[in-house]
Amino acid sequence: MMSASDKFENATEDLKGQAKEGIGKATGDSKTQNEGTAEQLKANAKDTFENAKDKVADGFSSAKDKLTGKDK
């Protein structure tokens, strides 16, 4: 399962990206804006990967339980 610290780290990275993007928009600095957008995409990709990993692990656990009779 995705740990609380991983969730916090990803959320922090996303918020930093949003702030950076906003500063870039406000100042007309496209480089800073693009960096902020990239940071958000990176955080979202990490979340998506962690969630997929959790679903696969849950699926294997469920299959194992069914095979061993622990699902009852």
Side-chain angles (χ1 to χ4, degrees):
M1 295 297 273
M2 189 172 179
S3 71
S5 65
D6 286 339
K7 287 180 184 179
F8 180 76
E9 182 182 318
N10 290 345
T12 301
E13 188 171 359
D14 184 56
L15 287 174
K16 282 175 34 182
Q18 289 178 31
K20 204 174 210 181
E21 180 183 13
I23 290 169
K25 281 183 182 178
T27 61
D29 183 351
S30 62
K31 181 178 184 253
T32 300
Q33 184 178 348
N34 291 337
E35 287 173 357
T37 301
E39 286 179 17
Q40 292 174 71
L41 290 171
K42 181 179 174 186
N44 290 334
K46 286 166 51 175
D47 275 342
T48 300
F49 175 74
E50 290 294 333
N51 289 335
K53 200 166 70 169
D54 289 346
K55 286 183 181 186
V56 169
D58 289 346
F60 278 120
S61 180
S62 177
K64 177 183 165 193
D65 288 347
K66 285 181 182 179
L67 290 171
T68 59
K70 293 183 182 179
D71 66 330
K72 297 179 183 181

